[in-house]
Structures are given as structure tokens and as C-alpha cells.
Amino acid sequence: MAVLDLKRKLAILSDAAKYDASCASSGSSKRNSLDGKGVGSTEGMGICHAYAPDGRCISLLKILLTNFCVYDCAYCVNRVSSNTPRARFAVDEVVDLTLGFYKRNYIEGLFLSSGIIRSPDYTMEQLVLVAKTLREVHDFRGYIHLKVIPEASPALVNEAGLYADRVSINIELPKDESLERFAPEKDATGIKKAMGAVRLGVEAAKDKAIKARPPKFAPAGQSTQMIVGADAATDGEILKRSETLYGAYRLRRVYYSAFSPIPDSTAKLPVMRPPLVREHRLYQADWLMRFYGFERAEIIGEGEDLDLAIDPKLAWALKNRGEFPVDVNVADRERLLRVPGLGVKAVDRLIDVRRFKQLTLEDVRRLSRGLEKLKPFIVTADWRPGALTDRADLRERIAPPPEQLSLF
């Protein structure tokens, strides 16, 4: 086998990592090296770009330790039977790359995953060793996200949480039977067990009742990723799985990744990728569950798919017109969050302003976006929608018009 130089390895293994979407860096604890000690910081303006809740751009070196893999997951371009260029980093090479890119101000942290080499335990040992070397040898204080190998021993999973800001364990597919069909070496029960172990570690580190506080454990929590469109799961089934994961394992994020057809794949898989807008609608519905107080069953039934033409909150409002119009001057925050076109920040601004004056339609226009979308669903000091809310053609009036794409 030809010996690859570092640049070629980086090209192969950064490209192979692009299929993993779960690399946001929000929620970590704050660390820096302003005292002259250590290297790096989890703060500041930042390769791979993720965004924190306050809008900061976080740049991460996103790579695989190796794209060799002993598993043969049908949907994965790095499966053992795939004819793809292979490469592998040594632990020291990843450490040197991370420190070198950080000192050149290219990145603020590391997202590290890997194919399975030799065994899950061996692979997890190598991933942990990278993080441990960065933290203990180089006093690196930047952000680290490690991908956990579910089949690895609990001791190694626990060690990963001690060195990483966030860990992620991919659930892979929405239905357990799909995972058994397309990735027979992976075990849904083992994945859930590993998620449970991480949850216990995170909660133990936050338990104020413990007098001798344990060390911080994955302070940014854990996340997961589901592939959308590889099997026949409906959007309702996908969101049902997300609802369960959020409740049972206290995940920070579920990431949705549209299936991408790969060369020489099995005939069991679709030949075309799902429309990217489907992935977008799933994220919107996920946001409604996490930040807007919606239950999954309110948004979509288990056997249904989301409407691709309009966003899920507007779809809900059109089905539940009896909930509207909402008076923006008296409604509580929970009701305002259900108004199509009003986001969390807009609602909080409206509530602040109405303490000092009666809100008019012009006030709502200045504090939000898309007034025409809002008008059928709100009452202000100078506006009532009247029969507009119940019009049969309301969807056509406020839905985005079809747009002709252009090649130029």
C-alpha cells in the first residue's frame, strides 16, 4: 500500500467526515487561556462551521481518525465493501493538526469520528487518546466533540465524556428494524444503552446533592443523527423517535441527514435522495417540539408526512383556526409562540414592549418578519382580521408562491 502524506490524508478524511451532521458546538462550558496557561478557548469567532445559540460562528476541524471500517452498513460510503480511497491518521497527527490549525486561527475546536478498525474498543481507545493528549499533555482548552462507538466498553465511553465537551452516538435510522436490515453489525439496544450511560454521567456531574463533585462530564451533553429517506419511515415516525430520544436520554440535539445515494450500493436503498426541503421541515418541527411547547402529536400523526410546501407551524395553525386570532396585547407567551411568523425572539420583544404601550400593527411589523403571514392570526390595538382567519383560500394567500429556478 502506498504511504500517504499528511495533506492527502487530510483531504480523504475530512471529505469522509462531511456525512456526519451532528457537529454543532453549542452548550459547552466556557474555558479560555487568557491567564497565559494552556492552549485554546471555547469562546470567540471562529474547515466546518457550526453556530451557537447566540449566533456565534464556531469553526471546527472535522475529520475521521480513519475511514477504514470492518462494518458493512449499506448506507455508508465507508463500509468495508465500498471502493473508496482509504486513509488513517496516527493519534499524534490529529493532535498536531488540531494545535497547528488552532494556533493559525483557523479553528476553535475538533470534531473527531472514525470508522471501526480492529474492534470497537480499540477504535474508542484511539479516539479517547487524542482527546486525552490534547487536554493533559498540551492543556488544550478548546472545544472537543467525540463520536462514541456504541459497542465500546462503558469504561471507555465514560472516559470520552471526561475529555470531550460533547459526545454523540448515532441512532442511524428511525426504525430498529431498518437498522437490522441495513446495518446488521449494529445493535439498536446497544446504542440506546450507550446513550443511557452518557445521560447518567452528565446528570451525575450536575448533581448538586453530591458533596464531592465529580469532574465535568460532557458539559455540552450528547447528540445523535438520523438518516432521512434511506428507509420507508414517515416524518411522523422520525419525529416520534426524536421525541422518545429527547425524553429518555435528554439529548441536546437530534440531527437529520438526508440520505445520499452512494456508488455500488445495494438495491434495497433508494436510487434518489429525498428532497432537501424534507430535512428542513423536520428541523422546523423539531424546533417546535424543543422551543415552542408543541407536542409531536399536535404537529403530525405517526403515519403522516410533513407538508413540504409550508412550514409545520403554519400547517398546524391552518388546521386549528379555532385557536385564532390571538390578541398580542394580552396573550401569554405560550399562545404567542403558536402564532405563525412569530419566533422566540420576536415574542419576547413583543412582551417587553407591551408593558409600556398598546401594540399596533406597525409595532408588530417592526418587531417581527412577514406581517402578511401574521395578519390573519393576530389582534392588535388597531387591527382585527375579521373573516380573514376563516377564508377558504387563506393557505394560497399566505403560502410562499412557487418559484422558477434559474441556471444563471
Side-chain angles (χ1 to χ4, degrees), residues 240-258:
K240 173 70 174 176
R241 170 57 67 92
S242 297
E243 182 181 47
T244 301
L245 293 172
Y246 282 130
Y249 305 106
R250 301 291 187 266
L251 297 189
R252 286 291 183 90
R253 285 287 298 273
V254 174
Y255 290 85
Y256 307 96
S257 179

Side-chain angles (χ1 to χ4, degrees), residues 270-289:
V271 295
M272 294 183 63
R273 68 180 303 158
L276 286 177
V277 69
R278 183 185 181 194
E279 181 184 300
H280 179 58
R281 296 297 181 218
L282 284 166
Y283 276 116
Q284 289 178 317
D286 183 278
W287 219 255
L288 293 182
M289 296 192 312

Side-chain angles (χ1 to χ4, degrees), residues 78 87 96 103 242 275 336 395 403:
N78 297 317
D96 291 344
K103 291 175 180 179
S242 297
L336 289 173
R395 175 187 169 117
E403 185 177 337

Side-chain angles (χ1 to χ4, degrees), residues 403-408:
E403 185 177 337
Q404 176 64 51
L405 299 179
S406 174
L407 294 175
F408 306 100

